[in-house]
Amino acid sequence: MSIQIKNIIPAIHSGFEGMHPGVAIDNVSIDSRSLQNNSGTLFFALGGQNRDGHIYIKDLIDKGVLNFVVSRIPVDVRGKANFFIVGNTLKALQDFAIYYRQLFDFPVIAITGSSGKTIVKEWLNYLLGPDYNIIRSPKSYNSQVGVPLSVIGINEKHNLGIFEAGISTVGEMEKLQPIIRADIGILTNIGPAHDEGFSDRQEKIREKLKLFGYVKLLILKRNADVEKELSHNIKTFTWSFGEDADVQIAAQHDNGNTVISVVYNAQAFDITIPFTDDPSVENAISCLMVLLHFGYSHEVIKERMAGLYPVELRLQVKNGINGCTLIDDSFSSDYQSLKIALDFLEQHKTHSKKTIILSDVFQSGFETEELYAKVAKLLSGHNISQVIGIGETISKQLADFPNFFPYSTTQEFLSHYKSSAFENETILIKGARSFRFDEIVVFLEEKTHETVLEINLNAITHNLNFYKSRLKPETRIMVMVKAFGYGSGSYEIAKALSHQKVDYLGVAFADEGIALRNAGISTPIIVMNPESSAFAAMAAYNLEPEIYSAKELKAFITVAQQKNLSNYPIHIKLDTGMHRLGFQENQLDELIELLKNNNLISVKSIFSHLSSSDMPDYRDFTLDQIGKFESWSEKIMEALEINPIRHILNTSGIYNFPQAQYDMVRLGIGLYGVGNDETERKSLETVGTLKTVILQIKDIEPGESIGYSRKFISPGKMRIATLPIGYADGIRRGWGNEKGYVTINEKKAIITGTISMDMMVVDVTGIDCKEGDRAVVFGASPTVVEMAEALGTIPYEILTSISQRVKRVFYKE
Ligand SMILES: *Cc1c(COP(=O)(O)O)cnc(C)c1O
């Protein structure tokens, strides 16, 4: 890409203020964290409730970025760069994409529908890849931001585009249509997803069809509701399981495969795909339609469709051997997704040493040498310590790259490399599917039993933003990551949040804070229950103590003297009614005396904790706590003439008493997806899903017993499954004996008999399942809230009880 500034101004309808009107830009960014930002970058400062791009401009200028699309010029950067001033920066990004798209003229396929968009796109890329240089949306980039970014990836060498578009409400599709400008449309299906954004199903259909306003051909399954909305100018190419379509289909399952019988143009033939579920069969048929339209022979269609594979789109973070962290992206290798994966690596690296295992890179549209020159530039920009290249092409092309280790095949790498060669590093494993890098992942992954707690990092961000949306923009946020991040993994959560404008982290003990510092977390940290024996270590690790008594304060002052500290931040805790830790009213004078004229320490914040913010019955009590906090903190502030941060709200406090948000709030359980209030819960996303697998299935006869103490006697013939999870993993015994259940293949399987230390048995009579299938112990169903209620406890206890032997796996969509 090379676009002159003078062409950008009319394209995005902007004003201009700057010094270098002669220059050109060669890439576009919306992410201030990307190490790929450089002097050729055009940075769009997008707004957003959690991150306003304008606040990063100063940093970006320091890093050499020169060109910014803004809705206002922050005062401190005026005159230091080129600014394109627009009313709405998102619209400007879209306008830029529209302009950029019309510079290219090749066939483009647009895909929309309620589900299957990404799978159809990935499969088409696989099916057509041998014959075209394809540009496609990376991952599931199908939103108002994702679609323009996808299109901006086009270059001169591409000769086919495949883009997906997703909408959640009225008015969005007409913005995406001119960006994609499709020639061929595919409508996958119309289901209930996002119904809430539309007045009815018909409106949603009309809205989706706007993507296809100017297509030359629309591929769809016959559907009367859709067809009545179609303009007569649109030529359709339809399929159905009946006889009334251009392509007639019959499907039959056969031993894990589906045989699809096709009748088209009076010719009949069969293809076989390695899937049996209905959505996969329909998605495969959508792809088949494109191949038929493109005129592929029956033989080629049969051969390529037999190779369809499950599409995995998440970048997964996993624990590796020898203290390594793995980022598993073992299913694609193209230039666009390499850029995304490197940014992901930068945000999720756990170690300063970064290794990448990379296969040949495909379908970039560039000539080989130019492509690998670009790859080398990306890698060196990201300070990758070591590159392992697998494949004939990359082995030659990167031969001169520093610390480059070439292998021709994955097998060659696996047979030569010793596992001891990797230690305490973050390893990005990125390869095209054909390289079978999943085998490398197996080799490098830490081996533990097959129960995992999956943590959805997107849900964490979503939940944080939900609470932010209920606060004033200037209110600071402290995130509680005590107790191993409520069982979810404190380091990974802290890391995931480090770019989200979280002002403080809260831990219970000094050790937890030290572990975070050792892992490279630099966000300010408050230690809630500091013991005086840990004060010196806390000062060494820059951890800030909660001060709750005069005795503790004196002890800390002594350490501050010994260590020559000055103005060391401390946090004063007031006991307004919880009666655990904190100063009471009659102790305030002594506190003030101790703090007066003391330069060793500095009161960074004053806070208190609500005992019953989730309980409407105790509303008056809470208001009384808030009232005391107000007057006591005022007293301290006046006496000392200071203006510290004040904070009193926890999760339920934010929800129920936003008027008391003061300068900061302390978010805990809500971040992890559990609200104490039912309506609050609806706005949150599930963060943790505890999964295990079926180890063994067996049939038992009437009258037989299951488990210890013969607590369960089978009433009839039953099929049962044994799962390798028990009370030592943190599942309470009270959840057994038919009280609780797990979910297997979307069905409830009741826990029969007593839960043992490492195992439990569930009833799978009538459930279609086999050994090795996954069982959800909690997550979407049952929820932790549901479990807690049945067990007479609270979700906090369920979450924090999950044993450390259960592996945590973090992922981002
Ligand atoms: C744990 C804790 C919180 C967070 O409480 P949630 O109910 O999980 O939001 C806030 N403040 C203090 C002092 C805490 O110990």
Side-chain angles (χ1 to χ4, degrees):
M1 166 189 293
S2 174
I3 308 247
Q4 298 293 324
I5 282 189
K6 63 176 195 304
N7 294 334
I8 297 173
I9 297 170
I12 65 173
H13 317 291
S14 75
F16 181 75
E17 191 181 312
M19 323 152 309
H20 316 279
V23 304
I25 59 116
D26 59 18
N27 70 83
V28 162
S29 169
I30 59 162
D31 184 351
S32 61
R33 298 165 289 171
S34 173
L35 296 182
Q36 291 143 28
N37 295 323
N38 60 40
S39 63
T41 299
L42 177 62
F43 183 84
F44 284 80
L46 298 188
Q49 40 166 271
N50 60 327
R51 300 213 299 148
D52 177 356
H54 292 83
I55 62 182
Y56 300 102
I57 292 176
K58 193 159 178 302
D59 286 355
L60 285 163
I61 291 176
D62 291 343
K63 292 191 183 124
V65 180
L66 270 178
N67 298 293
F68 297 89
V69 179
V70 296
S71 56
R72 59 188 156 78
I73 304 179
V75 274
D76 53 345
V77 295
R78 174 157 261 137
K80 298 193 174 141
N82 293 331
F83 294 100
F84 300 84
I85 305 120
V86 295
N88 175 329
T89 48
L90 172 59
K91 176 160 187 307
L93 176 68
Q94 295 170 340
D95 287 342
F96 182 84
I98 293 172
Y99 164 75
Y100 188 69
R101 168 71 180 90
Q102 53 85 30
L103 301 177
F104 300 91
D105 188 20
F106 53 71
V108 164
I109 301 173
I111 308 168
T112 194
S114 297
S115 60
K117 297 182 281 292
T118 304
I119 294 173
V120 169
K121 179 200 70 193
E122 290 298 314
W123 280 354
L124 281 177
N125 176 63
Y126 161 78
L127 294 165
L128 300 171
D131 310 308
Y132 294 90
N133 265 332
I134 299 174
I135 169 81
R136 70 189 197 279
S137 327
K139 310 279 164 204
S140 304
Y141 274 33
N142 62 28
S143 67
Q144 296 289 303
V145 176
V147 169
L149 290 179
S150 303
V151 166
I152 289 168
I154 300 176
N155 69 41
E156 294 72 17
K157 303 288 170 27
H158 291 126
N159 56 18
L160 178 66
I162 311 176
F163 299 107
E164 56 175 295
I167 54 170
S168 51
T169 186
V170 181
E172 292 186 334
M173 198 58 103
E174 57 204 56
K175 298 191 182 136
L176 301 183
Q177 187 278 329
I179 303 176
I180 299 182
R181 280 218 314 184
D183 302 283
I184 299 173
I186 301 175
L187 182 67
T188 57
N189 63 359
I190 295 283
H194 293 299
D195 268 355
E196 66 281 6
F198 303 89
S199 58
D200 59 27
R201 192 65 64 86
Q202 249 3 77
E203 182 183 68
K204 187 166 85 173
I205 292 174
R206 275 196 297 278
E207 193 63 26
K208 286 196 188 284
L209 291 176
K210 288 188 181 155
L211 179 61
F212 307 127
Y214 301 94
V215 296
K216 303 193 183 85
L217 187 76
L218 174 60
I219 292 172
L220 77 164
K221 182 181 180 181
R222 291 220 60 179
N223 177 331
D225 288 342
V226 172
E227 285 167 44
K228 74 176 179 225
E229 304 291 351
L230 278 180
S231 121
H232 296 294
N233 317 330
I234 294 190
K235 190 162 170 271
T236 58
F237 185 40
T238 58
W239 67 273
S240 86
F241 289 118
E243 301 203 323
D244 52 346
D246 299 321
V247 178
Q248 295 154 23
I249 301 281
Q252 207 166 8
H253 299 327
D254 172 28
N255 204 7
N257 295 320
T258 300
V259 178
I260 299 177
S261 305
V262 186
V263 179
Y264 172 53
N265 272 349
Q267 293 181 33
F269 65 104
D270 286 352
I271 55 179
T272 303
I273 60 165
F275 294 91
T276 56
D277 61 293
D278 295 343
S280 296
V281 171
E282 298 215 346
N283 290 333
I285 296 169
S286 291
C287 295
L288 165 73
M289 296 293 285
V290 175
L291 298 186
L292 289 173
H293 172 65
F294 277 28
Y296 279 93
S297 71
H298 298 174
E299 283 64 43
V300 172
I301 294 178
K302 266 187 214 183
E303 184 198 315
R304 293 197 187 164
M305 301 245 344
L308 291 181
Y309 55 91
V311 172
E312 175 63 84
L313 291 156
R314 301 159 167 182
L315 283 167
Q316 287 190 303
V317 184
K318 299 175 171 171
N319 287 334
I321 52 170
N322 309 331
C324 292
T325 302
L326 309 184
I327 296 175
D328 178 1
D329 194 358
S330 59
F331 34 82
S332 72
S333 171
D334 52 277
Y335 184 68
Q336 288 275 93
S337 72
L338 177 63
K339 286 165 84 164
I340 295 174
L342 285 169
D343 278 340
F344 188 87
L345 168 66
E346 192 52 33
Q347 289 159 32
H348 293 272
K349 64 169 193 257
T350 344
H351 313 277
S352 55
K353 182 166 182 199
K354 294 180 278 186
T355 292
I356 174 168
I357 305 179
L358 180 64
S359 77
D360 285 348
V361 180
F362 291 133
Q363 292 173 353
S364 62
F366 302 111
E367 298 298 339
T368 308
E369 310 222 323
E370 187 188 358
L371 166 64
Y372 283 93
K374 279 171 167 289
V375 170
K377 194 164 157 227
L378 264 188
L379 296 174
S380 50
H382 282 263
N383 296 319
I384 304 293
S385 325
Q386 133 174 266
V387 180
I388 292 162
I390 300 182
E392 299 290 352
T393 313
I394 193 169
S395 295
K396 286 200 205 80
Q397 293 290 330
L398 290 189
D400 298 331
F401 197 79
N403 278 322
F404 180 72
F405 302 90
Y407 294 89
S408 323
T409 64
T410 303
Q411 282 321 317
E412 192 201 348
F413 166 76
L414 286 177
S415 55
H416 284 78
Y417 228 86
K418 298 209 173 29
S419 59
S420 58
F422 298 96
E423 197 174 0
N424 294 324
E425 55 201 279
T426 303
I427 308 173
L428 170 63
I429 301 168
K430 176 140 190 72
R433 246 182 53 78
S434 55
F435 281 85
R436 298 306 310 255
F437 275 14
D438 47 332
E439 293 175 17
I440 300 181
V441 174
V442 170
F443 176 70
L444 293 179
E445 201 176 0
E446 191 182 45
K447 313 291 178 289
T448 41
H449 73 306
E450 292 176 295
T451 298
V452 294
L453 179 56
E454 285 190 354
I455 305 294
N456 180 345
L457 296 173
N458 294 101
I460 296 259
T461 309
H462 169 93
N463 297 338
L464 176 68
N465 288 336
F466 168 70
Y467 289 100
K468 277 192 180 167
S469 73
R470 302 184 68 94
L471 294 168
K472 290 186 257 171
E474 64 273 19
T475 303
R476 295 180 175 84
I477 299 210
M478 168 151 123
V479 165
M480 304 308 294
V481 293
K482 60 195 180 192
F484 201 59
Y486 288 50
S488 304
S490 53
Y491 165 70
E492 290 81 359
I493 305 285
K495 186 87 193 166
L497 292 176
S498 58
H499 298 288
Q500 301 280 350
K501 290 262 148 218
V502 163
D503 302 274
Y504 265 99
L505 297 172
V507 298
F509 298 100
D511 286 349
E512 296 176 331
I514 292 172
L516 289 176
R517 287 281 182 257
N518 281 336
I521 300 294
S522 57
T523 311
I525 297 177
I526 302 189
V527 179
M528 295 290 173
N529 311 355
E531 290 155 283
S532 44
S533 56
F535 282 161
M538 285 175 57
Y541 284 91
N542 212 353
L543 304 173
E544 304 173 15
E546 163 185 319
I547 297 292
Y548 53 84
S549 73
K551 177 164 170 252
E552 190 212 356
L553 179 54
K554 287 177 194 156
F556 191 75
I557 289 173
T558 308
V559 172
Q561 264 159 350
Q562 288 162 357
K563 301 271 165 208
N564 263 331
L565 304 180
S566 77
N567 290 319
Y568 197 88
I570 62 167
H571 302 268
I572 301 295
K573 171 80 161 285
L574 303 180
D575 179 5
T576 54
M578 175 74 108
H579 294 335
R580 295 187 314 196
L581 299 176
F583 291 88
Q584 291 176 288
E585 189 167 20
N586 61 6
Q587 299 167 325
L588 296 181
D589 291 330
E590 186 187 5
L591 169 67
I592 289 167
E593 245 358 89
L594 283 168
L595 292 173
K596 241 184 201 154
N597 304 323
N598 189 324
N599 299 328
L600 300 169
I601 50 177
S602 147
V603 177
K604 189 73 198 265
S605 85
I606 302 180
F607 73 107
S608 186
H609 194 33
L610 298 173
S611 78
S612 310
S613 60
D614 57 332
M615 306 185 80
D617 285 355
Y618 294 127
R619 193 174 169 84
D620 287 346
F621 182 84
T622 303
L623 292 173
D624 182 60
Q625 275 198 282
I626 294 171
K628 285 180 172 146
F629 177 64
E630 171 77 20
S631 74
W632 301 1
S633 58
E634 283 287 339
K635 173 173 172 163
I636 301 170
M637 287 159 61
E638 272 170 29
L640 298 174
E641 295 180 11
I642 55 172
N643 194 11
I645 299 169
R646 288 192 288 174
H647 45 115
I648 190 167
L649 300 182
N650 63 344
T651 300
S652 304
I654 299 172
Y655 197 73
N656 296 325
F657 300 92
Q659 72 275 17
Q661 60 191 271
Y662 291 97
D663 314 298
M664 182 156 84
V665 296
R666 301 186 304 271
L667 180 62
I669 192 91
L671 185 78
Y672 306 97
V674 181
N676 290 312
D677 173 283
E678 202 166 324
T679 42
E680 177 184 359
R681 235 171 263 153
K682 291 207 181 85
S683 308
L684 300 176
E685 287 181 4
T686 304
V687 170
T689 302
L690 181 61
K691 290 183 176 173
T692 187
V693 293
I694 299 178
L695 272 191
Q696 191 176 28
I697 291 185
K698 50 184 61 157
D699 294 300
I700 60 169
E701 294 299 318
E704 294 195 76
S705 64
I706 296 174
Y708 281 122
S709 317
R710 307 200 70 196
K711 284 280 170 58
F712 181 87
I713 307 289
S714 102
K717 275 184 180 295
M718 280 177 77
R719 168 163 282 215
I720 56 174
T722 304
L723 313 177
I725 182 169
Y727 60 78
D729 298 288
I731 306 304
R732 305 230 309 219
R733 289 176 79 249
W735 189 235
N737 291 317
E738 293 170 89
K739 187 153 205 175
Y741 66 95
V742 303
T743 299
I744 296 176
N745 297 337
E746 317 282 310
K747 299 252 167 47
K748 273 187 185 187
I750 305 289
I751 303 172
T752 47
T754 308
I755 292 179
S756 346
M757 186 184 289
D758 311 309
M759 272 177 278
M760 62 167 77
V761 175
V762 297
D763 179 2
V764 292
T765 312
I767 299 180
D768 184 12
C769 61
K770 55 184 186 311
E771 291 174 0
D773 279 0
R774 285 260 169 215
V776 172
V777 181
F778 66 65
S781 173
T783 62
V784 238
V785 173
E786 186 180 343
M787 265 175 106
E789 276 168 8
L791 290 167
T793 179
I794 53 174
Y796 299 72
E797 187 180 358
I798 306 278
L799 287 175
T800 54
S801 300
I802 299 308
S803 140
Q804 285 303 309
R805 84 174 182 190
V806 174
K807 177 156 75 162
R808 270 72 174 170
V809 176
F810 302 86
Y811 69 90
K812 229 178 173 182
E813 306 262 286

